Amino acid sequence: MKLHYGLDDLKDIDFMAILPIILVGTILVLIAFIDLYRYRKTREHIRIWVMIILFVNTLGPILYFAIGRKDREKFETRD
């Protein structure tokens, strides 16, 4: 059993298969940050959402759009 992999083993990875996943995750993160910045005055818990978006990878932006955008609706009804 091989426990250590060297740089020579990278040639066996098909990066073109991984590229769409990386691109979709990056685009989701960017869109979530743009939306969070655009509506920063109407959002609650901005720092927590930044951490979730950054560290939960692809699921973080999806959670933000599903749950975090509801903060704005609550804020607008309070005014």
Side-chain angles (χ1 to χ4, degrees):
M1 178 153 95
K2 189 174 183 181
L3 295 177
H4 178 71
Y5 296 97
L7 293 176
D8 295 333
D9 295 323
L10 288 177
K11 66 180 181 200
D12 297 331
I13 297 174
D14 184 16
F15 287 107
M16 294 308 285
I18 299 171
L19 188 62
I21 297 169
I22 293 171
L23 286 176
V24 168
T26 304
I27 290 170
L28 280 173
V29 167
L30 288 175
I31 292 171
F33 278 140
I34 290 169
D35 188 72
L36 187 64
Y37 179 76
R38 184 179 294 164
Y39 299 107
R40 66 187 175 275
K41 293 183 181 185
T42 59
R43 295 279 189 258
E44 296 177 4
H45 314 294
I46 292 176
R47 290 186 184 126
I48 293 172
W49 280 116
V50 167
M51 295 298 176
I52 290 172
I53 291 169
L54 274 179
F55 295 119
V56 186
N57 295 332
T58 306
L59 189 60
I62 293 170
L63 286 173
Y64 169 72
F65 287 117
I67 300 169
R69 294 188 77 180
K70 293 179 183 175
D71 287 346
R72 186 176 85 192
E73 294 168 3
K74 285 192 266 183
F75 186 81
E76 289 173 352
T77 57
R78 280 192 279 175
D79 291 341

